[in-house]
Amino acid sequence: MAYLLMFVTLLHLITLAILFIATMEKSWWVWDGMENSDLWYNCRFDNFTGTWLCASSRETEWLKAMQVLMVLSVVFSSVSFLVFLGQLFTMSKGGLFYFTGLCQVFAGLSTFSAALIYTLHNKEILQDSRELTSGHFGYCFILAWVCVPLLLCSGVIYIHLRKKE
């Protein structure tokens, strides 16, 4: 049981870190490595100064929905971890981690919704940017999709996890 508890805790921390990186980093859409776009900014690499020049993304309704859903998923996952730690030390023997599991499931569904919106509506989200055919999805987009099954699985594990000691 101790190994399962360590596994679930480690899984939760890993998914929380991946989720935070997917939300905050600047690589949801990439053009030739010199220009990219994320949930907050469109950035271009300036060879002359060797720095990234970033401007705020044009806010569309789809982009706002994605921003809200990704931030909400980070909040759900963070609250879930804090509640889990609290329940671990205060819950009586035989108790279940329902609230923790439900928060993780909601975080997974929020991430799923945000990634699905970006998949289906990237043309509307990136409409003022360069030609989309010369670009591709970046690693943050992939990390968001990787988080979805990890969050859902950890939520289900939390729901079935029972405090033994």
Side-chain angles (χ1 to χ4, degrees):
M1 188 63 173
Y3 290 121
L4 179 61
L5 188 62
M6 287 188 311
F7 171 75
V8 169
T9 305
L10 188 63
L11 178 65
H12 195 135
L13 290 174
I14 289 170
T15 55
L16 186 58
I18 292 172
L19 191 59
F20 189 75
I21 290 168
T23 303
M24 298 308 293
E25 275 296 311
K26 60 178 182 275
S27 185
W28 277 72
W29 190 267
V30 178
W31 293 273
D32 66 30
M34 301 300 281
E35 188 175 348
N36 56 33
S37 181
D38 68 354
L39 302 180
W40 317 103
Y41 298 104
N42 290 327
C43 298
R44 182 178 49 84
F45 188 75
D46 185 13
N47 284 328
F48 183 70
T49 61
T51 59
W52 285 95
L53 304 173
C54 296
S56 294
S57 296
R58 182 171 176 267
E59 293 203 8
T60 64
E61 292 173 7
W62 291 117
L63 181 62
K64 286 182 184 181
M66 277 189 58
Q67 290 171 342
V68 167
L69 287 167
M70 288 303 290
V71 169
L72 191 63
S73 65
V74 170
V75 169
F76 271 134
S77 190
S78 300
V79 166
S80 173
F81 186 69
L82 294 175
V83 168
F84 170 68
L85 290 178
Q87 286 178 331
L88 196 58
F89 295 111
T90 61
M91 189 169 35
S92 62
K93 181 180 176 184
L96 294 168
F97 298 95
Y98 283 128
F99 186 73
T100 303
L102 287 176
C103 282
Q104 279 293 89
V105 168
F106 285 143
L109 293 175
S110 296
T111 306
F112 174 75
S113 300
L116 190 63
I117 287 171
Y118 198 78
T119 303
L120 298 175
H121 298 286
N122 61 357
K123 288 179 178 61
E124 291 94 351
I125 292 170
L126 301 169
Q127 64 186 345
D128 287 346
S129 302
R130 291 178 42 193
E131 181 65 35
L132 291 179
T133 57
S134 63
H136 57 86
F137 291 108
Y139 73 92
C140 290
F141 173 77
I142 296 167
L143 287 178
W145 276 113
V146 167
C147 271
V148 171
L150 293 176
L151 287 165
L152 293 174
C153 287
S154 68
V156 169
I157 290 171
Y158 275 127
I159 290 171
H160 291 292
L161 189 63
R162 208 178 269 280
K163 185 172 180 185
K164 292 284 185 183
E165 297 175 4

